[in-house]
Amino acid sequence: MSDTNAIGLHESSASQLAEKLNALLANYQIFYMNVRGYHWNVKGPQFFELHTKFEEFYTDLLTKVDEVAERILTLGHKPVHAYSDYVAMSQIREDKDVHDGEACVRGVLQGYQTLIELQRELLALASDADDEGTAAQAGDYIREQEKTVWMLNAYLG
């Protein structure tokens, strides 16, 4: 009996990757809701600019939530789908009642920095497991989000 899954990865590696991906999924879900809240509640002179930008961010985050969950399924595992699990598993904490534009931008910046760190860990694990699919996904996300971090830092001065 083979110890590989449907896509040819060792099941022990696939299990570790799915666990790491589920942690990433939890962070994406909490971050998504934080950014959604920033979009709804931001106030101040940059309202129009930030309101639009936050919508762009949360739309992209929602796409990535789906892609991460589908990668977990591709590995032969189940994505976590209870919000209580997301809260418990996420390094990103819920950000409540934030409305100051600069504070919102700082929250977005911190969220992306956390995601990049988690995705670098995932990338290393995927590379060790010869999982090109997960590695490519993580690498693409890192590349995009590093540029976003640069832009957010430039915005904050």
Side-chain angles (χ1 to χ4, degrees):
M1 184 167 174
S2 176
D3 70 338
T4 58
N5 66 9
I7 60 171
L9 295 176
H10 291 283
E11 184 47 48
S12 61
S13 295
S15 182
Q16 290 176 343
L17 287 160
E19 184 178 327
K20 190 68 99 173
L21 282 162
N22 265 314
L24 183 62
L25 179 63
N27 280 275
Y28 265 103
Q29 287 283 44
I30 298 298
F31 187 40
Y32 166 80
M33 285 308 302
N34 285 350
V35 176
R36 194 81 194 220
Y38 302 150
H39 168 77
W40 290 331
N41 297 306
V42 68
K43 293 182 182 352
Q46 293 89 18
F47 169 80
F48 289 105
E49 175 185 2
L50 293 177
H51 183 76
T52 300
K53 194 64 174 171
F54 295 151
E55 183 174 7
E56 179 185 316
F57 288 153
Y58 77 66
T59 299
D60 180 65
L61 292 168
L62 188 57
T63 298
K64 286 178 172 56
V65 162
D66 193 54
E67 291 171 352
V68 170
E70 289 176 351
R71 187 65 195 168
I72 295 166
L73 290 163
T74 300
L75 292 171
H77 292 266
K78 292 182 181 178
V80 174
H81 63 276
Y83 207 79
S84 57
D85 289 333
Y86 298 146
V87 171
M89 295 171 67
S90 181
Q91 289 178 246
I92 298 173
R93 305 285 29 129
E94 293 177 308
D95 206 1
K96 300 177 184 176
D97 301 321
V98 179
H99 56 83
D100 173 72
E102 186 173 322
C104 292
V105 172
R106 289 190 188 286
V108 172
L109 177 60
Q110 290 168 352
Y112 278 121
Q113 289 170 327
T114 299
L115 290 177
I116 290 168
E117 180 181 328
L118 293 170
Q119 290 162 165
R120 283 190 179 127
E121 293 170 9
L122 178 62
L123 178 60
L125 186 63
S127 296
D128 290 345
D130 293 325
D131 178 3
E132 178 60 31
T134 302
Q137 185 177 16
D140 288 347
Y141 291 180
I142 291 166
R143 178 186 44 76
E144 291 172 23
Q145 292 164 2
E146 285 176 340
K147 184 174 181 181
T148 301
V149 165
W150 161 65
M151 290 179 172
L152 291 168
N153 275 314
Y155 180 87
L156 291 170

